[in-house]
Amino acid sequence: MQTGLMQNAPLLISGILAHAARAHADREIVSRLVGEPLWRYDYAGLASRAAQAATMLRSLGIDAGDCVSSLAWNTHRHYELFFAVPGIGAVLHTANPRLSDEQIVYTINHAGSQVLLFDSSFAECVARLRPRLDKIRHFIELAAQPVSAMADVQGYERLIAAAMPLDWPQFDENAGAVLCYTSGTTGDPKGVLYSHRSVVLHAMAAGLSGAFGLSAFDCIMPCSSLYHGTAWGLPYAAAINGCKFVLPCDRMDGPSLQELIQSEGVTISGGVPTIWTMYLTHLERSGEDAGTLARLVIGGSAVPRAMAETFQTRYGVAVCQLWGMTETSPLGVVATPTPRLAGRGQQAVNDTVWTRQGRLQFGIELRVVDEKGREMPRDGVSAGRVKVRGPWTVERYYRSETSALDEDGWFDTGDIATLDADGFMRITDRSKDVIKSGGEWVSSIDIENVAAACPGVKVAAVVGVFHPKWEGRPLLVIEPHGDAEVTAESVLAHLEPNIVKWWMPDAVVFDAVPLTATGKIDKKVLRERYRDHLIDKSLNAANQ
Ligand code: ADP
């Protein structure tokens, strides 16, 4: 082997910032804040404030390898930390404020963080948790005027105003940069420590035309949380591509999003389906259009076909679905058209792009295997466990002694899916949500997808509950739109012609659908709530 004769410049996050400040200096960044007016600056401003924040952290004794936690919404100050902390070789742990107190404490302590930077909205939460946060030496409120009642809280603005910007140090691109925890629906949350190299490669890939297709003309508004898997890498991808960046804080309701889309000219946004259900409801109620919005990247849980179709046909907004997880940084597959599909006509494009989680992307290999670990045919029908590998996929969890991979170096995602000959993946379930009825799998996602298109249905959730004969049977939980008249009969009549006969739910119940800390349907809660529903029903029927 001959060694290549090219420069060996490390892929560092500070390199992204330096590039944005040089090449896209005056491209705007706009941020909504809690209790403060809209903030407006540009990549040059971001670069100098991030460099001041880095100096400030160093003056507090934070050094390479140390950990710093944030508890913050999608704001420009949080964005600054995405560069300031890893820029000096320290690790930014983005704590998820929607976790339970127990889990927030667990993750901050497990990270070993020495500084906690928090938004004013979390002042009370931080005061409550403080006695249990072992290693935090400094509490910094991300505000112009701190509101915290805690005596030794320092204000971010005052601290950085006193700091001179630093020159970013160079170090190994494999250094840890951002630490994200899974939401721990089973057991303690697990930490995934992204490296500079993985973050940079992932952000470059996210912008590609087969993925988010970003250009310098785009205005991105990330509506997935910055603390959740770095909002799909958008903070970094935006800076690489020179996109205008609009941060909506915690205001993800329809009218608030619409206000920013209209006033800032947002062209692309993304988030979990629940947010876009609220946005669609707003558009329908107000009669407004989606303005400049051209693309939506929706993922985190399955996108109902009806949602993608409504966005496209009624509002001219193209929806591309994304699948991924904290362990994949999180970009896995993205549903964008291919020439092969286009050759079969628009209907074929729609049928695939609106119903698949996405297609293979460079940088993340994917295979579907059966229970014995044998690769299954890529025929769009054979479903099995999804395994992945690549430079932005986890190797081992934070502070774990053992690898998270199988003997061939693949990571088991815990998702069940099919792959087809065009390279598109379709998730049928999460392995822990799988419904096994008489030994056969029922796809909860497929049923939800059809039910969500029934008029009046806001959210549809399907869980497997115990059945004395079949072991498990699907139960459908419907949360209707406030004023809609939906009945079990109308939903079942809608389902009947559209799903396999033996998948028809054994019961339909009306209930508010609970969500997890990452905005997904909390199937664990629903399964527990309705565990005995079918037994109770059959007992009632027997007693009548
Ligand atoms: P958490 O476990 O904290 O919710 P993640 O965000 O890492 O954390 O969740 C990843 C999981 O979300 C995936 O393994 C998959 O089950 C689900 N998921 C993500 N995107 C999609 C999608 N487009 N369709 C269906 N499921 C999805």
Side-chain angles (χ1 to χ4, degrees):
M1 190 184 74
Q2 288 203 45
T3 305
L5 299 177
M6 308 309 284
Q7 296 181 15
N8 200 6
L11 300 172
L12 296 179
I13 287 173
S14 56
I16 296 180
L17 186 61
H19 165 75
R22 237 178 272 121
H24 314 292
D26 59 358
R27 196 70 171 121
E28 262 187 307
I29 298 166
V30 180
S31 174
R32 199 170 246 158
L33 297 164
V34 179
E36 292 177 54
L38 209 63
W39 173 277
R40 209 174 271 282
Y41 64 164
D42 52 24
Y43 283 106
L46 170 73
S48 63
R49 279 173 53 96
Q52 284 176 289
T55 303
M56 175 272 281
L57 288 168
R58 271 201 175 154
S59 72
L60 298 179
I62 296 302
D63 221 332
D66 291 339
C67 200
V68 165
S69 287
S70 61
L71 199 56
W73 303 121
N74 290 10
T75 68
H76 73 288
R77 296 191 184 105
H78 203 185
Y79 194 25
E80 287 161 10
L81 300 181
F82 269 59
F83 294 99
V85 180
I88 53 170
V91 171
L92 175 66
H93 159 231
T94 52
N96 178 346
R98 298 209 195 272
L99 292 178
S100 63
D101 276 11
E102 212 59 51
Q103 289 179 323
I104 297 175
V105 168
Y106 173 85
T107 55
I108 295 175
N109 287 344
H110 188 262
S113 283
Q114 301 178 32
V115 178
L116 176 61
L117 297 112
F118 60 96
D119 276 344
S120 303
S121 16
F122 303 118
E124 270 178 34
C125 167
V126 171
R128 188 170 69 238
L129 304 184
R130 178 176 190 161
R132 293 148 72 195
L133 297 174
D134 311 346
K135 302 188 186 77
I136 302 285
R137 294 186 286 114
H138 298 280
F139 290 87
I140 301 177
E141 191 172 321
L142 293 164
Q145 294 294 333
V147 301
S148 176
M150 277 164 43
D152 50 357
V153 166
Q154 306 181 70
Y156 178 79
E157 288 300 332
R158 257 209 25 218
L159 285 176
I160 69 164
M164 292 293 287
L166 51 58
D167 289 331
W168 298 109
Q170 296 289 298
F171 44 81
D172 183 353
E173 64 184 17
N174 291 300
V178 183
L179 177 61
C180 294
Y181 282 80
T182 62
S183 59
T185 30
T186 47
D188 283 331
K190 291 192 285 254
V192 182
L193 179 53
Y194 305 148
S195 65
H196 283 257
R197 174 185 153 81
S198 74
V199 165
V200 174
L201 290 174
H202 174 266
M204 287 170 72
L208 294 176
S209 61
F212 304 159
L214 300 179
S215 94
F217 293 90
D218 273 316
C219 172
I220 308 183
M221 178 168 70
C223 294
S224 45
S225 305
L226 254 56
Y227 56 73
H228 187 206
T230 70
W232 305 345
L234 287 174
Y236 298 120
I240 288 177
N241 290 284
C243 307
K244 177 172 171 180
F245 204 50
V246 178
L247 293 139
C249 195
D250 62 335
R251 306 252 304 272
M252 306 293 183
D253 59 288
S256 303
L257 294 185
Q258 177 71 343
E259 201 182 307
L260 283 180
I261 289 169
Q262 287 182 328
S263 63
E264 302 304 326
V266 173
T267 59
I268 172 167
S269 186
V272 290
T274 21
I275 289 172
W276 301 104
T277 302
M278 293 192 289
Y279 181 65
L280 270 182
T281 307
H282 170 75
L283 290 186
E284 269 155 38
R285 293 216 170 119
S286 64
E288 292 165 4
D289 61 29
T292 45
L293 192 63
R295 272 135 58 227
L296 279 178
V297 189
I298 310 183
S301 47
V303 179
R305 179 185 173 131
M307 171 179 281
E309 198 164 346
T310 307
F311 266 117
Q312 180 66 64
T313 54
R314 210 171 295 166
Y315 300 103
V317 178
V319 168
C320 68
Q321 183 163 184
L322 160 141
W323 166 89
M325 60 201 314
T326 304
E327 287 90 337
T328 61
S329 291
L331 195 72
V333 297
V334 189
T336 46
T338 61
R340 193 156 155 190
L341 277 182
R344 288 183 226 141
Q346 191 57 43
Q347 193 58 41
V349 173
N350 293 346
D351 286 345
T352 301
V353 167
W354 290 346
T355 60
R356 303 290 190 265
Q357 267 63 30
R359 68 173 161 100
L360 300 174
Q361 302 287 316
F362 174 71
I364 182 144
E365 282 181 88
L366 213 133
R367 75 204 298 207
V368 169
V369 300
D370 67 12
E371 272 153 24
K372 293 206 171 90
R374 290 173 306 210
E375 190 161 358
M376 303 189 78
R378 300 188 171 212
D379 57 8
V381 185
S382 311
R385 296 181 81 89
V386 180
K387 292 195 171 188
V388 291
R389 68 178 180 193
W392 56 82
T393 296
V394 68
E395 193 274 321
R396 72 185 57 206
Y397 290 104
Y398 190 54
R399 295 194 192 281
S400 165
E401 296 293 318
T402 52
S403 167
L405 311 182
D406 66 16
E407 58 279 9
D408 299 323
W410 293 81
F411 175 75
D412 187 339
T413 63
D415 284 324
I416 309 292
T418 62
L419 262 181
D420 66 23
D422 295 320
F424 280 85
M425 185 182 84
R426 189 172 66 85
I427 301 263
T428 56
D429 254 309
R430 229 173 165 171
S431 60
K432 54 179 187 264
D433 295 333
V434 153
I435 306 172
K436 253 196 166 171
S437 175
E440 299 285 341
W441 282 353
V442 177
S443 167
S444 66
I445 291 182
D446 283 351
I447 308 175
E448 286 162 5
N449 220 323
V450 178
C454 178
V457 171
K458 184 171 165 205
V459 191
V462 172
V463 286
V465 293
F466 178 73
H467 187 282
K469 180 169 175 201
W470 300 110
E471 173 192 356
R473 287 297 300 158
L475 172 136
L476 173 59
V477 185
I478 295 288
E479 181 177 329
H481 282 292
D483 43 5
E485 274 188 32
V486 195
T487 61
E489 289 70 34
S490 68
V491 179
L492 290 174
H494 178 84
L495 284 178
E496 204 158 10
N498 293 306
I499 62 169
V500 188
K501 211 165 167 208
W502 63 276
W503 285 8
M504 283 296 280
D506 284 33
V508 180
V509 295
F510 291 86
D511 198 349
V513 171
L515 299 179
T516 66
T518 49
K520 302 175 193 191
I521 295 170
D522 198 335
K523 296 206 173 175
K524 200 168 135 214
V525 169
L526 289 177
R527 263 195 301 272
E528 269 157 31
R529 191 176 295 166
Y530 292 105
R531 200 179 46 197
D532 297 330
H533 190 84
L534 296 182
I535 307 175
D536 296 347
K537 228 174 107 181
S538 53
L539 280 180
N540 285 343
N543 290 339
Q544 271 167 16

